[in-house]
Amino acid sequence: MFTNDKKITAFKNKVWLATPTMHGEELKWMTDAFNKNWMSTIGENINEVERIAAGKIGRKYAVGLSCGTAALHLAVKIAGIKRGDKVFCSDMTFAATLNPVVYEGGEPIFIDTERDTWNMDPLALRKAFELYPEVKHIVVANLYGVPGKLDELRAIADEHGAVIIEDAAESFGATFKGRQTGSFGDIGVISFNGNKIVTGSSGGMLLTDDAEQAARVRKWSTQSRESAPWYQHEELGYNYRMSNVVAGVIRGQLPYLEEHIAQKRAVFERYKAGLKGLPVSMNPFDAENSVPNYWLSCMIIDEGAMCKQVRGDTEASYVAEHGKSCPTEILETLAAFNAEGRPIWKPMHLQPIYKNNGFVTADGNGKGGTTTDVGSDIFSRGLCLPSDNKMTAAEQDKVIEIIRSCFN
Ligand SMILES: *Cc1c(COP(=O)(O)O)cnc(C)c1O
């Protein structure tokens, strides 16, 4: 690990990956809920944030739920995924993208990642339909705020009459060809988790243009009560509705979405400029067709500049080498200086829990281990950098210096 440069001292205040950024209006709307005694899962704040989010994303209906994972669960249910169904899922993503498929007894088949946006590879998806022509559902995430190749994925889905669930948990506010992410799937999902671009401390939403779907999801989320004088149940219910207090936080945050994106973008641009000359590049996106929300700034080390790195199931080690580095060295060094980075989402096909699930790459042979496996490669060479929108330019310059030192 880098230790010999006396000029760099540890951060006194920890530099975080991504933390909530409050503005004051959050408290106003929480207090409003308190004063009106709508301390419940009903109230004006929920109605307002549903209206605003649906309008922003360009969907007819938004249903406020307790978290993004709950929204994905009800998305999986409303999309009709049932026990034994195979479902094509993003491979390099947070497990919450696809765990809900398993809640319903479905079987995720993981689709490899492409290098242009680090999202689901349309070529691999096409291959997957050759191998599993019966599949009718796709769950696709837009990673780190970067829209995937949503038009190509949609075209392939349409050829096979498949439904798309779009996990836009990380990409709220990002656009592809002028349209908001969350509007490309038959069903979209966003999250207001504490580290997302805007937050309610928790919370999520399901987005759809289908009135019947929206009504049904709303009913499921509030324990599936039928309209009757007593608790009458015809369907399984869930306690997944958004709290009106949480909705107050979100209501205060939503006006700042674009400001947060601008701040995150400045962070990304500063890294891009500051890391110039090193054998690394920032996480890629299609600059012609998409505007990311820059939720997390990530970088990937050139193949030839990787020092030896070994990752087991729960531990990593590396051998430092002049002129080279690796995510483990950079993450450990950042941590030693009190800054928080994070590895790239470890691909699902490498996770012990999913070791028996299918995995399809652009040339089909995902499980053989002899062909291209883009996700594993990005995982081994990439990392997420401290991306907090409250990080000062001076703090970020120091983060950049620390990263540079790893290549000394
Ligand atoms: C955060 C996240 C989720 C889950 O959202 P929660 O609100 O935390 O439940 C799902 N998918 C992705 C890609 C995420 O980053």
Side-chain angles (χ1 to χ4, degrees), residues 67-69 72 93-94 96-97 141 167 169-170 191-193 196 203 345:
C67 61
T69 309
L72 282 156
T93 182
F94 185 36
T97 300
D167 178 359
E170 299 180 0
S191 163
F192 298 104
N193 181 287
K196 299 299 198 292
W345 297 126

Side-chain angles (χ1 to χ4, degrees), residues 267-275 282 297 385-386 396 399-400:
V267 167
F268 182 94
E269 299 292 348
R270 240 184 270 132
Y271 275 129
K272 198 172 167 183
L275 297 171
M282 299 302 291
S297 287
L385 302 170
Q396 194 176 349
V399 170
I400 290 165

Side-chain angles (χ1 to χ4, degrees), residues 116-292:
D116 301 336
T117 76
W118 293 6
N119 286 300
M120 184 185 282
D121 183 356
L123 293 174
L125 181 64
R126 207 172 265 295
K127 265 281 181 279
F129 274 114
E130 289 172 18
L131 297 169
Y132 308 95
E134 74 280 14
V135 169
K136 288 292 170 228
H137 299 93
I138 303 166
V139 186
V140 58
N142 301 304
L143 213 66
Y144 302 131
V146 173
K149 297 182 174 177
L150 293 164
D151 51 355
E152 290 178 51
L153 296 172
R154 166 54 71 190
I156 297 165
D158 287 350
E159 279 171 39
H160 297 273
V163 165
I164 296 181
I165 296 172
E166 183 190 4
D167 178 359
E170 299 180 0
S171 66
F172 184 32
T175 60
F176 181 73
K177 296 192 171 172
R179 257 173 67 192
Q180 289 281 321
T181 59
S183 73
F184 288 87
D186 297 271
I187 303 158
V189 166
I190 55 173
S191 163
F192 298 104
N193 181 287
N195 67 7
K196 299 299 198 292
I197 191 100
V198 288
T199 183
S201 73
S202 62
M205 274 182 192
L206 181 145
L207 304 143
T208 173
D209 296 326
D210 183 321
E212 216 172 298
Q213 274 190 350
R216 216 151 160 228
V217 165
R218 196 165 277 133
K219 175 187 159 189
W220 289 345
S221 76
T222 50
Q223 307 285 20
S224 290
R225 291 173 61 182
E226 300 300 329
S227 95
W230 43 80
Y231 279 77
Q232 178 82 5
H233 300 289
E234 290 173 13
E235 294 183 292
L236 198 57
Y238 301 84
N239 185 3
Y240 278 179
R241 191 69 166 136
M242 179 181 279
S243 148
N244 192 50
V245 180
V246 163
V249 182
I250 298 168
R251 190 174 178 184
Q253 286 267 288
L254 286 174
Y256 295 92
L257 173 60
E258 296 303 327
E259 184 180 308
H260 289 189
I261 293 174
Q263 291 164 337
K264 293 275 192 181
R265 180 179 178 155
V267 167
F268 182 94
E269 299 292 348
R270 240 184 270 132
Y271 275 129
K272 198 172 167 183
L275 297 171
K276 232 176 224 145
L278 288 180
V280 305
S281 44
M282 299 302 291
N283 56 319
F285 59 90
D286 174 1
E288 208 169 299
N289 292 308
S290 67
V291 184

